[in-house]
Coordinates of all heavy atoms in Angstrom, one line a residue:
S1 N 1.9 1.2 -18.6 CA 0.6 1.5 -19.1 C -0.4 1.3 -18.0 O -1.4 2.0 -17.7 CB 0.3 0.7 -20.4 OG 1.1 1.0 -21.5
L2 N -0.4 0.1 -17.3 CA -1.2 -0.2 -16.2 C -1.0 0.8 -15.0 O -2.0 1.4 -14.5 CB -0.9 -1.5 -15.6 CG -1.3 -2.7 -16.5 CD1 -0.9 -4.0 -15.9 CD2 -2.9 -2.8 -16.7
R3 N 0.2 1.2 -14.7 CA 0.4 2.2 -13.7 C -0.1 3.5 -14.0 O -0.7 4.2 -13.2 CB 1.9 2.4 -13.6 CG 2.3 3.4 -12.5 CD 3.9 3.4 -12.4 NE 4.4 2.2 -11.8 CZ 5.7 1.8 -12.0 NH1 6.5 2.5 -12.8 NH2 6.2 0.7 -11.5
G4 N -0.2 3.9 -15.3 CA -0.8 5.1 -15.9 C -2.3 5.1 -16.1 O -2.8 5.9 -16.6
S5 N -2.9 3.9 -15.7 CA -4.4 3.6 -15.9 C -4.8 3.8 -17.3 O -5.9 4.2 -17.6 CB -5.1 4.5 -14.9 OG -4.8 4.3 -13.5
D6 N -4.0 3.4 -18.3 CA -4.3 3.4 -19.7 C -4.6 2.0 -20.0 O -3.7 1.3 -20.5 CB -3.1 4.0 -20.5 CG -3.6 4.3 -21.8 OD1 -4.5 3.6 -22.4 OD2 -3.0 5.1 -22.6
T7 N -5.8 1.6 -19.7 CA -6.2 0.3 -19.9 C -6.1 -0.2 -21.4 O -5.7 -1.4 -21.6 CB -7.6 -0.1 -19.5 OG1 -7.6 0.4 -18.0 CG2 -8.0 -1.5 -19.4
D8 N -6.5 0.6 -22.3 CA -6.3 0.3 -23.8 C -5.0 0.0 -24.2 O -4.6 -0.9 -24.9 CB -7.1 1.3 -24.6 CG -8.6 1.4 -24.3 OD1 -9.1 0.2 -24.2 OD2 -9.1 2.5 -24.2
A9 N -4.1 0.9 -23.7 CA -2.6 0.7 -24.1 C -2.1 -0.7 -23.5 O -1.4 -1.3 -24.1 CB -1.8 1.9 -23.6
A10 N -2.5 -0.9 -22.2 CA -2.1 -2.1 -21.6 C -2.6 -3.3 -22.3 O -1.8 -4.3 -22.5 CB -2.5 -2.1 -20.1
L11 N -3.8 -3.3 -22.8 CA -4.3 -4.5 -23.6 C -3.5 -4.6 -24.9 O -3.3 -5.8 -25.3 CB -5.8 -4.2 -23.8 CG -6.8 -4.3 -22.7 CD1 -8.2 -3.9 -23.1 CD2 -6.9 -5.8 -22.3
Y12 N -3.1 -3.5 -25.5 CA -2.3 -3.6 -26.7 C -1.1 -4.3 -26.4 O -0.6 -5.2 -27.2 CB -2.1 -2.1 -27.3 CG -1.0 -2.1 -28.4 CD1 -1.4 -2.6 -29.7 CD2 0.3 -1.7 -28.2 CE1 -0.4 -2.6 -30.7 CE2 1.1 -1.6 -29.2 CZ 0.7 -2.1 -30.4 OH 1.8 -2.1 -31.5
W13 N -0.3 -3.9 -25.4 CA 1.0 -4.4 -25.1 C 0.9 -5.9 -24.7 O 1.7 -6.7 -25.0 CB 1.8 -3.6 -24.0 CG 2.2 -2.3 -24.5 CD1 1.7 -1.1 -24.0 CD2 3.0 -1.9 -25.6 NE1 2.2 0.0 -24.8 CE2 3.1 -0.5 -25.7 CE3 3.7 -2.6 -26.6 CZ2 3.8 0.2 -26.7 CZ3 4.4 -2.0 -27.5 CH2 4.4 -0.6 -27.6
F14 N -0.2 -6.1 -23.9 CA -0.5 -7.6 -23.5 C -0.7 -8.4 -24.8 O -0.1 -9.6 -25.0 CB -1.7 -7.6 -22.7 CG -2.1 -9.0 -22.4 CD1 -1.7 -9.7 -21.4 CD2 -3.3 -9.6 -23.2 CE1 -2.1 -11.0 -21.3 CE2 -3.8 -10.8 -22.8 CZ -3.2 -11.6 -21.8
A15 N -1.4 -7.9 -25.7 CA -1.6 -8.7 -27.1 C -0.3 -8.8 -27.8 O -0.1 -9.9 -28.5 CB -2.7 -8.0 -27.9
R16 N 0.5 -7.7 -27.9 CA 1.7 -7.9 -28.5 C 2.6 -9.0 -28.0 O 3.4 -9.6 -28.7 CB 2.5 -6.6 -28.4 CG 2.1 -5.4 -29.4 CD 2.7 -5.6 -30.7 NE 4.2 -5.7 -30.7 CZ 4.9 -4.6 -30.7 NH1 4.3 -3.3 -30.8 NH2 6.2 -4.6 -30.7
M17 N 2.6 -9.0 -26.7 CA 3.5 -10.0 -26.0 C 3.0 -11.5 -26.4 O 3.8 -12.3 -26.7 CB 3.5 -9.9 -24.5 CG 4.2 -8.6 -24.0 SD 4.3 -8.5 -22.3 CE 5.8 -9.5 -21.9
L18 N 1.7 -11.7 -26.3 CA 1.1 -13.0 -26.7 C 1.4 -13.3 -28.2 O 1.8 -14.4 -28.5 CB -0.5 -13.1 -26.4 CG -0.7 -13.2 -24.9 CD1 -2.3 -13.3 -24.9 CD2 -0.2 -14.4 -24.2
D19 N 1.2 -12.4 -29.0 CA 1.4 -12.5 -30.4 C 3.0 -12.8 -30.7 O 3.3 -13.6 -31.6 CB 1.0 -11.2 -31.2 CG 1.0 -11.4 -32.8 OD1 0.4 -12.5 -33.2 OD2 1.5 -10.6 -33.4
G20 N 3.9 -12.4 -29.7 CA 5.3 -12.6 -30.0 C 5.7 -14.0 -29.4 O 6.8 -14.4 -29.5
G21 N 4.6 -14.7 -28.8 CA 5.0 -16.0 -28.2 C 5.4 -16.0 -26.8 O 6.0 -17.0 -26.3
E22 N 5.2 -14.9 -26.1 CA 5.6 -14.9 -24.6 C 4.7 -15.9 -23.8 O 3.6 -16.2 -24.2 CB 5.2 -13.5 -24.0 CG 5.8 -13.3 -22.6 CD 7.2 -13.6 -22.5 OE1 7.9 -12.7 -22.7 OE2 7.5 -14.7 -22.0
D23 N 5.4 -16.4 -22.8 CA 4.8 -17.4 -22.0 C 3.7 -16.7 -21.1 O 4.0 -15.8 -20.3 CB 5.9 -18.1 -21.1 CG 5.2 -19.2 -20.2 OD1 3.9 -19.4 -20.2 OD2 5.9 -19.7 -19.3
P24 N 2.4 -17.1 -21.2 CA 1.4 -16.4 -20.4 C 1.7 -16.5 -18.9 O 1.1 -15.6 -18.1 CB 0.1 -17.1 -20.8 CG 0.4 -17.6 -22.2 CD 1.8 -18.0 -22.2
H25 N 2.3 -17.5 -18.5 CA 2.6 -17.7 -17.1 C 3.6 -16.5 -16.5 O 3.5 -16.0 -15.5 CB 3.3 -19.0 -16.7 CG 2.4 -20.2 -16.9 ND1 2.3 -20.9 -18.0 CD2 1.6 -20.8 -16.1 CE1 1.4 -21.8 -17.9 NE2 0.9 -21.8 -16.6
F26 N 4.5 -16.1 -17.4 CA 5.4 -15.1 -17.1 C 4.5 -13.7 -17.0 O 4.8 -13.0 -16.1 CB 6.4 -14.8 -18.2 CG 7.2 -13.6 -18.1 CD1 8.2 -13.4 -17.2 CD2 6.9 -12.5 -19.0 CE1 8.9 -12.2 -17.0 CE2 7.6 -11.2 -18.9 CZ 8.6 -11.1 -17.9
I27 N 3.6 -13.6 -17.9 CA 2.9 -12.4 -17.8 C 2.0 -12.4 -16.6 O 1.8 -11.3 -15.9 CB 1.8 -12.2 -19.1 CG1 2.8 -12.3 -20.3 CG2 1.0 -11.0 -19.0 CD1 2.0 -12.3 -21.7
A28 N 1.4 -13.6 -16.3 CA 0.5 -13.6 -15.1 C 1.3 -13.2 -13.8 O 0.8 -12.6 -12.9 CB 0.0 -15.0 -15.0
R29 N 2.6 -13.7 -13.7 CA 3.4 -13.4 -12.6 C 3.7 -12.0 -12.4 O 3.6 -11.4 -11.4 CB 4.7 -14.1 -12.7 CG 5.6 -14.1 -11.5 CD 6.8 -15.0 -11.6 NE 7.7 -14.6 -12.7 CZ 8.6 -13.7 -12.6 NH1 8.9 -13.0 -11.4 NH2 9.5 -13.5 -13.6
R30 N 4.0 -11.3 -13.6 CA 4.3 -9.9 -13.5 C 3.0 -9.1 -13.2 O 3.1 -8.0 -12.5 CB 4.9 -9.4 -14.9 CG 6.2 -9.9 -15.2 CD 7.2 -9.5 -14.0 NE 7.3 -8.1 -14.0 CZ 8.4 -7.4 -14.6 NH1 9.3 -8.0 -15.1 NH2 8.4 -6.1 -14.4
L31 N 1.8 -9.5 -13.7 CA 0.6 -8.8 -13.3 C 0.3 -8.9 -11.9 O -0.2 -8.1 -11.2 CB -0.6 -9.4 -14.1 CG -0.5 -9.1 -15.7 CD1 -1.7 -9.8 -16.4 CD2 -0.6 -7.6 -16.0
T32 N 0.6 -10.1 -11.3 CA 0.5 -10.2 -9.9 C 1.4 -9.4 -9.0 O 1.0 -8.8 -8.0 CB 0.6 -11.8 -9.5 OG1 -0.2 -12.6 -10.3 CG2 0.5 -12.0 -8.0
R33 N 2.6 -9.3 -9.6 CA 3.5 -8.3 -8.9 C 3.0 -6.9 -9.0 O 3.1 -6.1 -8.0 CB 4.8 -8.4 -9.6 CG 5.8 -7.3 -9.1 CD 6.3 -7.4 -7.9 NE 7.1 -6.2 -7.5 CZ 7.8 -6.0 -6.4 NH1 7.7 -6.9 -5.5 NH2 8.6 -4.9 -6.2
F34 N 2.3 -6.5 -10.2 CA 1.8 -5.1 -10.3 C 0.7 -4.9 -9.3 O 0.7 -3.9 -8.7 CB 1.3 -5.0 -11.7 CG 0.7 -3.7 -11.9 CD1 1.4 -2.6 -12.4 CD2 -0.7 -3.4 -11.7 CE1 0.9 -1.4 -12.6 CE2 -1.2 -2.2 -12.0 CZ -0.5 -1.2 -12.4
A35 N -0.1 -5.9 -9.0 CA -1.2 -5.8 -8.1 C -0.7 -5.3 -6.7 O -1.4 -4.6 -6.0 CB -1.9 -7.2 -8.0
V36 N 0.4 -6.0 -6.2 CA 0.9 -5.5 -4.9 C 1.8 -4.4 -5.0 O 2.0 -3.7 -3.9 CB 1.6 -6.8 -4.3 CG1 0.5 -7.9 -4.1 CG2 2.7 -7.3 -5.1
E37 N 2.5 -4.0 -6.1 CA 3.4 -3.0 -6.2 C 2.7 -1.7 -6.5 O 3.1 -0.5 -5.9 CB 4.4 -3.2 -7.2 CG 5.4 -2.1 -7.4 CD 6.5 -2.4 -8.3 OE1 6.8 -3.6 -8.7 OE2 7.1 -1.4 -8.9
D38 N 1.7 -1.7 -7.3 CA 1.1 -0.4 -7.9 C -0.3 -0.1 -7.5 O -0.9 0.8 -7.8 CB 1.4 -0.3 -9.4 CG 2.8 -0.1 -9.7 OD1 3.2 1.1 -9.9 OD2 3.5 -1.1 -10.1
I39 N -0.9 -1.2 -6.8 CA -2.3 -1.0 -6.4 C -2.4 -1.2 -4.8 O -2.8 -0.4 -4.1 CB -3.3 -2.0 -7.1 CG1 -3.2 -1.6 -8.6 CG2 -4.7 -2.0 -6.4 CD1 -4.1 -2.6 -9.4
G40 N -1.8 -2.3 -4.4 CA -1.6 -2.6 -3.0 C -3.0 -2.5 -2.3 O -4.1 -3.1 -2.8
L41 N -2.9 -1.8 -1.1 CA -4.2 -1.6 -0.3 C -5.2 -0.7 -0.8 O -6.2 -0.4 0.0 CB -3.7 -1.6 1.1 CG -3.1 -2.7 1.8 CD1 -2.6 -2.3 3.1 CD2 -4.0 -3.9 1.8
A42 N -4.9 0.1 -1.9 CA -5.9 1.0 -2.5 C -7.1 0.1 -2.9 O -8.2 0.5 -3.0 CB -5.3 1.7 -3.7
D43 N -6.7 -1.2 -3.4 CA -7.8 -2.1 -3.7 C -7.3 -3.5 -3.4 O -6.6 -4.1 -4.1 CB -8.2 -2.1 -5.3 CG -9.2 -3.0 -5.4 OD1 -9.7 -3.8 -4.7 OD2 -9.7 -3.0 -6.7

C-alpha cells in the first residue's frame, strides 16, 4: 500500500496490525526498510 502511495490503505493495515497485537518495533523495522527500498534517494 505504501509502495502504491495509498496512504489511507497503509494506515488501515497499520492499524490492523496493532489491533492484532503486533510488536510496533517489528513494524518500525519494516517501515525503515521500506524507506531505503522503495523511496531511497528520491527523498
Side-chain angles (χ1 to χ4, degrees):
S1 297
L2 288 172
R3 181 181 291 155
S5 298
D6 193 334
T7 305
D8 292 317
L11 287 168
Y12 169 76
W13 294 118
F14 172 79
R16 279 280 303 275
M17 295 185 79
L18 286 184
D19 193 44
E22 183 57 80
D23 182 0
H25 290 92
F26 168 77
I27 302 176
R29 182 172 69 83
R30 291 302 298 261
L31 292 175
T32 303
R33 167 67 185 191
F34 179 87
V36 293
E37 178 181 337
D38 287 275
I39 296 175
L41 292 171
D43 182 357

